[in-house]
Amino acid sequence: MIDLGGEVVEGLLIVQNYDRDDASPQFKEFSDAYFKRFQRNPGYSSVSTYDAATVVLTALKNRKPGEPVKTTVARSGPYQGLQQEIVFDSNGDTIRKVYFTEIREGRYHRID
């Protein structure tokens, strides 16, 4: 967004579902590998895709013969996502922690 918006997005407040400044070993390893492969830092879609793949691959591993994947996903959780635990409610939704950020000086700054 910053690359495309430039000065127009300066001061913009954004809610994100991941912490781009996470210093945990797991996120650092993911972020370093992502940057090495794509020459850019991961964004929300990269983190969400990683978490979705974790859920699906874990469910496929735990799937009973003939069991629908959706049933296995509901039965096999909670799942450890890249930055937070993934728990599905009875509607198939998850509650995710959100992070407020502001674009200042061409960078995302977390607002605590």
Side-chain angles (χ1 to χ4, degrees):
M1 178 181 317
I2 294 172
D3 290 340
L4 296 174
E7 291 181 18
V8 174
V9 297
E10 190 70 19
L12 185 66
L13 297 174
I14 303 169
V15 176
Q16 298 183 320
N17 65 351
Y18 81 107
D19 179 4
R20 69 178 56 251
D21 299 320
D22 183 358
S24 70
Q26 183 174 348
F27 186 71
K28 180 157 178 29
E29 181 180 342
F30 170 80
S31 186
D32 290 348
Y34 189 95
F35 189 87
K36 183 177 180 181
R37 181 166 185 173
F38 300 108
Q39 291 76 51
R40 62 188 309 189
N41 291 322
Y44 75 91
S45 59
S46 308
V47 173
S48 295
T49 300
Y50 180 95
D51 285 352
T54 297
V55 169
V56 170
L57 294 173
T58 302
L60 290 174
K61 179 180 165 190
N62 295 333
R63 188 174 177 207
K64 296 176 182 174
E67 183 178 44
V69 174
K70 182 178 178 180
T71 302
T72 310
V73 166
R75 176 180 59 76
S76 296
Y79 302 88
Q80 182 52 56
L82 189 57
Q83 294 185 326
Q84 53 190 296
E85 188 175 68
I86 302 165
V87 178
F88 292 96
D89 66 16
S90 60
N91 295 315
D93 296 323
T94 63
I95 296 175
R96 310 275 295 184
K97 183 175 179 181
V98 295
Y99 302 88
F100 293 89
T101 59
E102 179 181 7
I103 298 175
R104 280 186 268 135
E105 300 174 2
R107 288 187 30 109
Y108 293 97
H109 294 271
R110 193 165 128 190
I111 301 171
D112 292 317

